[in-house]
Structure formats: structure tokens, C-alpha cells
Amino acid sequence: MENPDIIIVGSGYGGMLPAWRLTKAGAKVLLIERGRHWRRHEFQQSWNPLYLKQVYDFAISTSTQYTYRASRVLGGGSVMNSMMHQRTPSAAFEFEDPDTNAPAWPANVSRESLDPYYDETERLLGVRQLEWDEIPMIGGNFARMFCDAGFSADRGRMNLGRACVHCGFCEAGCQFADAKITLLERAYLEALTTRNLLVAENLTVKRIQAKGDLYEVDCVLTGRPLKGAEVSKTFTAPTVILAAGPLGTVPLLMRSKFGLSRLSSALGQWASNNGDVNFVFMTPERYADHHGYKSTNNTGIISYAFWKEHRVTMHPGCSPVPIMAGIDAHFEGQLPWGLAHKHFVKEKVLHRLIPVNAMRQIPSDIDMGIDHDGAAQIRIRSEKNTAEHGRFMFELARKVANGCGGRVMRTTMGKSPLDQGGNHLLGGARMSDSPETGVVDGYGEVYGHSGLFVSDAASIPSALGINPALTIGANALRIADKIDARGAR
């Protein structure tokens, strides 16, 4: 495509949805994807790290060794996630940063302003509340634990089709048609039919430079080292949208400081892991055995029992044996290795254990940078606060377990009892009403660089305490509408 109106970097929620909206409005869009289009038959039912490295990018915290990941396929997180799509409660948009004593969110962004875009994103993805007969047994046992302990839990909202076989490999890429409804099923195809969309696959953007009224986007072939790699292609456009996720967008902006000289000093700050922690429940002996391997990765149940008081949500996952064997799950006072532990896991992992992901709206305490090769580097600012957060969430989990006669397992051997890695990294190029506390304004436009936008998870100003995918998508559509209203074509 010669002379595109808009270049979009990244094809997940933050990129594909603006591409859909803007191509339908008549704009010529070039979409640059670091990965490629994987057809369903190419995905593997495997947790082999060598395979996962083909469909994900990974980064490890330099301070705590927690691992963070981001999808590297056309369609991004919509293709690789576990399908939970919840709207962020209104109260979350009122969160105040303790280090600025000011609202984290721009004044023009609220649940009310996002609701029309939530509606639209849900329609595109077929998001709906599940029926009870669609909930696997492991999800039912999780809900029962909460009920028996006096807490609430209900069916979540997911982009689940009618042909799901509960194989447990949602996050390895779904092989089955009409099982997981992704952005490739409708948004991508509709954008293609406009003939206004061109996709460039297997290209990584090395840097962006402002050249008068245009932006030059220099790319290298994915897999080549960013430092010293020869530029393979350069594209130019008056409008550029960055949607490569925090692991892609933030390092890209940092690599581009020479060509984007007015970037805010807030770049790389106010990032968070969405308050994620991971733990494991063991069900009471009186409960029926579940089949931990026969489920969606997210079992379709979510609890808001601790939301009003603590801004916490919890949801269970299934228990793939390779994953369970690879984490440090153990009871207090015991070790996650040895013959006794191996026999315990062998006996309990498929029928009694429930892995849980819980989220909490906490202050952003992650700083992002780049290493000597220009790739993402993550540092947790306060290990003390991280440990306290882990202990707090462990005690909430213990309330549920003790209330029903179950048990809760630790997932690290560190100061925090719970692992806090995951795939819900937010911020680092966040929206704000001031360039002193954010990189982009309330419509995602980079301060000091008209026509350059951030529309992905990197723009989200704070932890949400809930699965962020739907909010990222809704916000990206809101930003796309602003770009369209300005006539970027």
C-alpha cells in the first residue's frame, strides 16, 4: 500500500478494532504485525516452551523473576487469551494514585463514556454470559467453595462459541471453528472487505521518527536483533497508532526518543500487573472429583465477593499437568519438591486442585525500560509492597478455603506467598490529563507529537482489578472514533 492514511502497529484489541473502525470509515490502513496469521490447524495442543515462544513474547522482571507475556500472532490477545470479558466497574475509574494524590484516569474517561464501546466490542466478539450447563466441573467446584464459605460467585461473560470441546488449550491457540470467537472472525474480515486494509506480517518496528507532518516507521524482520539490524522496510503516514501492548509499545517509544524528542518523561512509569496473583485451592474431601484437564483455560466463573471492600476479583482456571508441575505450589511449611510432594501432585492435581487467578486494583509500581538490545525490561519498584500484596491476597483466599473446609496453596518460595506474573501488564505509556503524569492525553494522543497515538494496554492508567481485555478494546474504539472525527484520511 502506497501512502497509507494510518499505520497501526499491533493487531490485538488495541490495533485490530481501530483498523476495523477506520477502514470502514474510508481510511487506508497499514497494519504491521510482529507475528503472523496462524490458521486454526497450525495451533498445537501443547505447553512446550519451544512452541509457546512462537506465539508469545516473554519478559522477566529483573527484581522478582516474575514472568510476563504478550501474544505474538495476528489478532493478538483475542486469539490467545482465556476468553473472560468483563466490564470494569464504575468505581475503578475513580482510583487515585497515592504518589500523585490525583485521579489516575483522565477526566473524559469513565464507565459511562466506555459503555457504548463495550456494547460494540461485545457484539463483535459474541461475548455473552455463560449458562450453568456450559460450566465445567472444576468451575462448579470453585463456585461451590465460595457458596459454602458464604461468598458469591457467578458465571462470567466470555466470547465462547457453541463448538467448544473443553480441551483446555485456549491459551495455546484454539483449533476448533466456532469454539473461541476472535477478532479475526468478524472485525478482520470486515476490514478486509473494504479493500482499505493491508497487513504486513513478521515485521518488528525498530523506531519511529517525526519527519515534518509525517511519521517514518522503520521495520526489521522479526527475529533479527533490534540493535544494529538493518532496516528492511520503511513506511510513512501522517497518523500512527501504537498497539503492540506494553511489552512492544513502551520499548518502541524508548527506542524512538531521538526521533520523537518531545516524549513525556513519564514514559515507562506507572505500569502495573493489574494486581494479579496466582494461587491454588484444594477442594474439601466431601466434594465430588472434578476433571481439571477438561475445561476452558478460564472455567467461566468469577467472584466479585471482595470487590466492594477491596477491589478484588477472582476466577478459576483448569489445571494442565505440565503447568501445575512447573509452578511452586505447596502448602505452608512444606516444600514444592521431593517424593512426597510428587505423590501428592500426582494424586490431587486433576481432581482436587483448582488454580486461581485473582486481581486487585493496586497502585502502579512497575517501571519499564529497555535492555542493551532494545527489548522490554521490567523492574518492580517496591518488593516490600509486592510481598504485602501477596500476603493480603493469600489471606483473602484463605477466608474462602477455611470457610468451606478446603485449603489454599502458596505458589512461590519468596517473600510473597503468591506468584504475581501473568499476561495483564498495563500502563507504561498511560493516558493522563497532564504530560507530567502520562505519555498520552485522554484520547490516546502522544503529548508533543500530534498524530501519534497509543491505543493498547500501555495506555491504561491504572490497575483495573478485573480482566482488562474488554476495557482495552472499548478504549481503542473510543480513540479510533476521535481519530476518525479529525478526518485522518
Side-chain angles (χ1 to χ4, degrees):
M1 178 184 291
E2 292 186 10
N3 304 317
D5 301 310
I6 301 169
I7 294 173
I8 300 178
V9 181
S11 65
Y13 293 89
M16 190 64 77
L17 288 167
W20 172 76
R21 169 74 94 233
L22 294 165
T23 54
K24 288 171 73 72
K28 300 290 185 182
V29 174
L30 171 64
L31 185 68
I32 301 174
E33 167 55 44
R34 173 169 159 76
R36 66 175 179 87
H37 188 177
W38 284 66
R39 272 62 178 182
R40 288 189 181 273
H41 71 273
E42 295 181 284
F43 289 118
Q44 299 177 24
Q45 292 189 345
S46 171
W47 302 112
N48 186 324
L50 295 177
Y51 164 65
L52 296 178
K53 285 176 68 176
Q54 298 178 59
V55 293
Y56 286 106
D57 287 319
F58 294 92
I60 299 175
S61 167
T62 58
S63 52
T64 61
Q65 301 302 301
Y66 295 142
T67 301
Y68 305 89
R69 63 179 178 174
S71 306
R72 193 175 78 232
V73 300
L74 187 69
S78 77
V79 175
M80 303 303 297
N81 68 15
S82 62
M83 296 190 286
M84 185 66 79
H85 287 78
Q86 303 292 123
R87 300 191 183 197
T88 300
S90 300
F93 296 97
E94 300 167 4
F95 182 78
E96 290 196 358
D97 285 320
D99 49 353
T100 65
N101 295 316
W105 288 78
N108 66 322
V109 187
S110 65
R111 168 64 182 267
E112 184 179 9
S113 70
L114 286 178
D115 269 337
Y117 300 105
Y118 280 135
D119 291 341
E120 205 163 4
T121 306
E122 287 175 341
R123 284 195 297 270
L124 280 169
L125 287 167
V127 174
R128 59 186 176 85
Q129 186 178 31
L130 300 187
E131 302 294 336
W132 277 110
D133 62 6
E134 295 178 291
I135 302 298
M137 291 178 67
I138 188 171
N141 271 347
F142 175 88
R144 182 181 175 186
M145 289 182 72
F146 274 74
C147 181
D148 289 352
F151 299 108
S152 62
D154 202 355
R155 298 147 297 150
R157 296 178 62 80
M158 297 174 69
N159 52 319
L160 186 70
R162 298 297 179 179
C164 177
V165 299
H166 284 187
C167 70
F169 287 96
C170 311
E171 294 182 0
C174 180
Q175 295 181 336
F176 303 99
D178 194 31
K180 176 194 287 189
I181 304 170
T182 76
L183 290 173
L184 299 183
E185 268 69 61
R186 182 173 171 186
Y188 176 56
L189 293 179
E190 289 187 6
L192 286 177
T193 60
T194 67
R195 299 189 177 184
N196 290 328
L197 178 66
L198 178 67
V199 177
E201 300 179 12
N202 288 315
L203 286 179
T204 298
V205 179
K206 181 176 183 178
R207 60 177 172 260
I208 298 171
Q209 301 181 76
K211 297 288 186 178
D213 294 332
L214 299 174
Y215 290 98
E216 283 189 355
V217 179
D218 293 333
C219 304
V220 299
L221 295 175
T222 296
R224 299 280 181 86
L226 290 168
K227 186 177 182 180
E230 186 175 328
V231 172
S232 60
K233 290 187 179 181
T234 297
F235 305 100
T236 60
T239 301
V240 174
I241 302 173
L242 303 185
L247 292 184
T249 292
V250 176
L252 171 56
L253 286 171
M254 290 182 170
R255 296 193 300 267
S256 304
K257 282 185 176 180
F258 181 79
L260 302 173
S261 59
R262 296 186 295 277
L263 286 173
S264 166
S265 60
L267 180 62
Q269 301 183 56
W270 286 289
S272 82
N273 77 330
N274 201 31
D276 276 27
V277 299
N278 304 294
F279 58 88
V280 179
F281 278 141
M282 186 170 80
T283 59
E285 290 297 326
R286 67 182 185 278
Y287 283 22
D289 284 357
H290 55 248
H291 306 296
Y293 54 88
K294 188 169 177 56
S295 171
T296 46
N297 282 154
N298 185 311
T299 68
I301 296 292
I302 188 166
S303 174
Y304 290 83
F306 301 109
W307 175 262
K308 186 175 181 180
E309 186 175 359
H310 301 300
R311 298 290 189 268
V312 168
T313 61
M314 298 183 181
H315 61 74
C318 69
S319 49
V321 174
I323 303 298
M324 294 295 291
I327 62 176
D328 289 332
H330 62 286
F331 293 114
E332 282 193 292
Q334 298 181 9
L335 297 173
W337 59 76
L339 189 59
H341 177 74
K342 289 180 180 179
H343 284 307
F344 169 81
V345 172
K346 180 180 178 181
E347 179 184 353
K348 304 292 186 182
V349 64
L350 292 181
H351 308 297
R352 314 298 305 178
L353 303 185
I354 304 176
V356 181
N357 177 229
M359 290 157 272
R360 178 186 176 203
Q361 192 171 39
I362 58 173
S364 300
D365 65 347
I366 290 177
D367 290 328
M368 296 189 66
I370 53 177
D371 62 19
H372 63 281
D373 288 323
Q377 199 166 52
I378 294 173
R379 183 182 68 84
I380 294 176
R381 195 179 306 152
S382 172
E383 293 185 44
K384 177 176 179 291
N385 291 346
T386 299
E388 288 177 353
H389 170 55
R391 287 191 289 269
F392 178 85
M393 297 294 276
F394 185 72
E395 289 305 315
L396 288 187
R398 190 142 55 182
K399 280 186 179 181
V400 177
N402 291 347
C404 67
R407 299 180 71 183
V408 62
M409 302 178 74
R410 297 170 57 109
T411 48
T412 75
M413 292 292 290
K415 295 179 181 178
S416 168
L418 304 180
D419 172 73
Q420 298 181 41
N423 60 340
H424 294 151
L425 194 63
L426 304 172
R430 73 172 187 168
M431 295 185 292
S432 177
D433 284 328
S434 167
E436 294 181 0
T437 54
V439 177
V440 302
D441 66 18
Y443 286 104
E445 191 163 24
V446 175
Y447 282 112
H449 294 280
S450 178
L452 181 61
F453 294 82
V454 177
S455 62
D456 58 15
S459 71
I460 301 300
S462 73
L464 301 176
I466 195 167
N467 305 72
L470 193 64
T471 297
I472 296 166
N475 187 57
L477 278 178
R478 185 184 66 88
I479 291 170
D481 270 0
K482 182 66 173 181
I483 294 170
D484 181 46
R486 285 180 20 172
R489 61 186 182 277

